[in-house]
Amino acid sequence: MSESSAQNAAEPAASAAGSAAARSAAPGLTTAQRNAVAELMRVSPVADELGRRFARAGFELHLVGGSVRDALLGRLGDDLDFCTDAHPDDTLRIVKGWAEATWETGREFGTIGAQREGLRLEITTFRAESYDQITRNPVVEYGTNLVDDLRRRDFTINAMAVSVPGHSFTDPYGGLADLAARVIRTPGTPRESFGDDPLRMLRAARFAAQLGFTVQPDVYAAMVAMAADLDRITAERIRDEFTKLLCGADPITGLRLLVDAGLADRFLPELSGLKLEIDEHAQHKDVYEHTLIVVSNAVRLEGPECDFILRMAALMHDVGKPATKAVGSDGRVSFHHHEVVGAKLTKQRMKAMRYPKDVISQVVALVGLHLRFYGYGRGEWTDSAVRRYVADAGELLPRLHKLTRSDCTTRNRRKARQLATDYDALEERIARIQEEEDLARVRPDLDGNAIMELLGVPPGPLVGQAWRHLKEMRLERGPMDRDEAEAELLRWARTQGIAG
């Protein structure tokens, strides 16, 4: 403790000087924002209680990183991050009997988790870790002081701390000023930071999407120069960062950064591949620009919470176009069956990124269905076609409505109005048929037991074939009464040589 105490004795002056410098350099940050962390302590006594327990045990404790950043931005949640000079065994001893629950899943990285009064607390020993530069896995070494711990963090806006229970503010790398200026900068050089963990390049784009901040030129230059280092990061870690980026308040900014810096080429090359493909609907922009507009439209239509499945489907809906591009004798560009190719590519890419099977299946289904609506306005759809549209979409129908509407990006106002009117008419027609026929539960008019009894056959593939035939008839004709359904089943059975 002596070395740590000596270091901390020097910190208040440096901390006060840093805070004064930050205040003078950050006129855009309001008093209310500067006081947000202190207000957090007032309304959340749990942090102070924990700080006093650490102090009584002879250790220091600091609210740190994203928790401080989010408190200053007025968006703090129920997850609080702390750092300390106490080692994991010490932390466990301190929180024993006070925490309602503890977990040690991050123990190898010096992190102990605890829960108290609805708050999730993660307490991590000061780090001075390095990376092996091959796998990019951290080699954890415990540090001895707060300032060194803050230096190893990804960005300056995440390198601020507030002590508990003392509430002194530590900002050695100008994070407060960068927060006010809305910029993303690293505590050390960008190359050092990204060399330690290349995932931080993806995180920079994610923060740009989440917070609307601007990546500093030297940070961007390092992202471009070191993009290939992302290959050493596991698919799961990349997936998690990308998901957060796509669910950001401004995913378009983050996606552009990924493409422009060459990061997308390392894990989502289909996105960059859209950039040179001219969209047949509007030749003033390429498919890449069209796709970003569709994502933006989907964000607007999705509702109060991020709908990752809808956003991902919007992002991937046209990835089949490069492989299906053709130019006719009249010079017109076409992309026939690009939705089929796109669905296959989407499945392959999301599997490679280790997304769960249920998430993949929903995104793939939406990509495969996104063109189904076009042509409806020509009056060619029968009630049977509407039933099939609803049945094929299933539970994804509300998302398919939003995706289809998002895909209308034409600047031709007359055409845009007509498409919107046509889809309004389709939704009204669906609602009418649903009310009459309960389309959400389209199924054959006879179940498996009735089929076996009527045909006199045991369970097996034949029953499934008969069931599927009856479902096709249900979609084609609408509901049938019992006598009609039995007559249709017997007619089909005769064609199969089953009944006389």
Side-chain angles (χ1 to χ4, degrees), residues 45-47 49-50 53 78 91-104 112-123:
V46 169
E49 287 179 17
L50 185 60
R53 293 180 72 90
D78 295 331
T91 296
L92 280 171
R93 187 177 67 254
I94 291 168
V95 301
K96 183 179 180 180
W98 177 82
E100 297 158 0
T102 60
W103 55 92
E104 302 180 45
I112 298 297
Q115 182 170 313
R116 174 82 174 186
E117 297 183 12
L119 297 175
R120 288 173 56 88
L121 319 171
E122 290 208 336
I123 307 158

Side-chain angles (χ1 to χ4, degrees), residues 445-456 463 482 486 489:
D445 296 276
L446 299 174
D447 63 17
N449 289 328
I451 290 170
M452 289 187 288
E453 180 180 352
L454 194 61
L455 298 183
V463 178
R482 178 80 180 200
E486 289 183 356
L489 176 62

